[in-house]
Amino acid sequence: MKHRIVVLGAGYAGAFAAGSLARRLSPADTEITVVNAVPDFVERMRLHQLAAGQDLTPRKLADVFAGTGVRLRLARVTGVDPERRSVAVTGMTGEEGDGELSYDTLLYALGSSVARHGVPGVAEYAFDVTGRSSALRLGERLADLSEGGTVLVVGEGLTGIEAATEFAESRPDLSVALAARGELGAWLSPKARRHLRRAFDRLGITVHEHTGIEAVEPTRAIAADGTSIPADVTVWSAGFAVHPLAAASGLEVAESGQIIVDRTMRSVSHPDVYAAGDCAYAIGDNGRPLPMSCASAGFTSMQATAAIIARLTGSEVPAVGLKYHGNHISLGRRDAIFQMVDADVRSKSWYLGGRTAARLKSGVLNGAGWSIAHPTFGMPRRKRRLATTPDRASVRVAA
Ligand SMILES: Cc1cc2nc3c(=O)[nH]c(=O)nc-3n(C[C@H](O)[C@H](O)[C@H](O)COP(=O)(O)OP(=O)(O)OC[C@H]3O[C@@H](n4cnc5c(N)ncnc54)[C@H](O)[C@@H]3O)c2cc1C
């Protein structure tokens, strides 16, 4: 019987990992299945652009995996039973109905969605850019706004800054504001912070600093001190949260619900399970948890893939670097900031801003999309065979 590897989620982490596993493991003794709820690869890093009305052509996962040997199953994962090594799925079509998938090795990469933090009115009235359908819904709402309409972005993280600048640039007729709990760009170097402030001034974005939003209503948001901020549209951008599915499965999870993994991205409670991307609680080379980001999705999926292959083929697990060099923030289509950081993720004094940084960011986004769309690029002539008979016991021996 072949060794069954099931990858849950075909976002940045899962799609990369599935392609990479198929590229390096022999189909003679491994079977790779990737399960994803929707048929397209969603470039989450561009969802604020989608909401701003830009035309982003989705990539079909069926095309991405065509000819790779990866079996794509379009279904929603509803449960994981790590004791029985099975995954419960609800199919999208009659043929792909409800059912169960068994695995020998599982890579859990279901990503994240918006973190609402239980703030009243967010679920009912606020919009977000964390998923394709929510970004499209926001895009329709923004398109309906007439001149002078008010948009409030809540959250001064990278996504909040990118969203506010994108909306202000594409719709100069709207009145765009951002509510920040602290100071805008406080973590940036002084020069980069000045660049950010100039960009906000140029785009006419109002900044409400030291303003935690405690309630959202249909046409306004209420701050902790009772201030009312007019908002025909509130865009909630106060962080990402993972689905409670991992916690419910009995896998050991952190307070955030992310799966706790060791340095090789293997679950600390269930050695047949690996996690990568937003849903992995992984410690970076500086001893701190990796943030939820595409960069972390890249590191963790590379490390998980390398560990799975090494353990199955009986070789030593290589260590992939889990280290940030910088943060890259778009400020609309013609401006950006690339802030270099040190090993402790403190901003260095050097940063790159303006059109060059915007071009670089565009290259990074294109590169990430390209690597997903070309999973067989660099396919080795000889794929690696498993070390021993591919059953659970031998995997443990190889480990
Ligand atoms: C607007 C925006 C801008 C961003 N910009 C940046 C940036 O500039 N740089 C950066 O590093 N990061 C950025 N990020 C963060 C980055 O996009 C995420 O950290 C990254 O997508 C995480 O990758 P992932 O593979 O873990 O999850 P995802 O990319 O979210 O993929 C998860 C996959 O799992 C599927 N899935 C989820 N639940 C189920 C289920 N129950 N059943 C089946 N399938 C399911 C989803 O359909 C999806 O395909 C941005 C995010 C947003 C929203």
Side-chain angles (χ1 to χ4, degrees), residues 375-390:
T376 53
F377 182 74
M379 174 94 86
R381 289 237 171 89
R382 267 188 66 225
K383 297 195 185 193
R384 297 176 68 180
R385 300 296 305 264
L386 297 201
T388 48
T389 318

Side-chain angles (χ1 to χ4, degrees), residues 91-350:
M92 284 179 24
T93 64
E95 202 184 315
E96 302 245 53
D98 297 0
E100 244 181 35
L101 285 172
S102 296
Y103 64 83
D104 298 301
T105 298
L106 183 74
L107 176 56
Y108 187 110
L110 292 179
S112 64
S113 57
V114 63
R116 298 195 174 98
H117 305 296
V119 173
V122 173
E124 295 86 346
Y125 307 118
F127 293 79
D128 68 82
V129 290
T130 60
R132 190 165 189 273
S133 51
S134 57
L136 285 171
R137 205 166 65 86
L138 170 59
E140 280 170 22
R141 180 75 184 103
L142 290 175
D144 280 348
L145 286 185
S146 43
E147 193 178 340
T150 49
V151 178
L152 175 69
V153 176
V154 180
E156 74 270 42
L158 307 190
T159 309
I161 292 173
E162 291 199 335
T165 48
E166 199 74 48
F167 302 153
E169 184 181 86
S170 61
R171 290 290 306 273
D173 59 318
L174 299 179
S175 171
V176 177
L178 181 141
R181 261 192 189 284
E183 271 175 41
L184 180 69
W187 58 275
L188 291 166
S189 63
K191 282 185 195 160
R193 199 181 312 166
R194 281 199 290 280
H195 186 115
L196 180 66
R197 295 230 170 233
R198 278 198 302 274
F200 267 59
D201 289 347
R202 172 172 48 80
L203 294 165
I205 303 169
T206 306
V207 182
H208 302 277
E209 289 184 319
H210 307 292
T211 303
I213 298 299
E214 299 225 321
V216 175
E217 296 179 3
T219 56
R220 63 178 190 159
I222 313 292
D225 64 0
T227 310
S228 162
I229 303 173
D232 296 318
V233 174
T234 297
V235 182
W236 195 256
S237 191
F240 300 146
V242 299
H243 198 279
L245 205 138
S249 70
L251 290 162
E252 194 168 330
V253 296
E255 214 177 304
S256 58
Q258 291 167 294
I259 298 169
I260 302 178
V261 291
D262 65 13
R263 182 62 179 73
T264 70
M265 304 303 139
R266 181 149 77 163
S267 155
V268 293
S269 59
H270 293 80
D272 304 313
V273 178
Y274 291 74
D278 286 356
C279 55
Y281 184 83
I283 304 299
D285 290 345
N286 61 7
R288 300 203 201 119
L290 289 174
M292 293 189 197
S293 76
C294 188
S296 301
F299 305 149
T300 54
S301 65
M302 264 187 250
Q303 179 61 81
T305 308
I308 292 170
I309 293 168
R311 291 195 173 110
L312 291 180
T313 57
S315 49
E316 201 177 317
V317 177
V320 171
L322 304 174
K323 183 178 169 192
Y324 272 74
H325 297 285
N327 284 308
H328 216 147
I329 324 165
S330 299
L331 305 171
R333 293 301 85 211
R334 293 180 287 278
D335 194 4
I337 287 174
F338 178 61
Q339 174 67 67
M340 293 288 285
V341 295
D342 66 16
D344 287 324
V345 204
R346 276 188 308 248
S347 294
K348 294 184 179 177
S349 59
W350 189 85

Side-chain angles (χ1 to χ4, degrees), residues 1-7 29-33 82 84-87 101-107 266 270-274 308 312 386 389-396:
M1 196 173 124
K2 292 187 185 184
H3 186 89
R4 297 156 302 177
I5 302 177
V6 173
V7 179
D29 43 24
T30 45
E31 182 185 275
I32 300 162
T33 302
R84 289 178 51 238
R85 286 185 289 147
S86 73
V87 176
L101 285 172
S102 296
Y103 64 83
D104 298 301
T105 298
L106 183 74
L107 176 56
R266 181 149 77 163
H270 293 80
D272 304 313
V273 178
Y274 291 74
I308 292 170
L312 291 180
L386 297 201
T389 318
D391 61 18
R392 195 182 193 203
S394 69
V395 175
R396 287 264 164 80

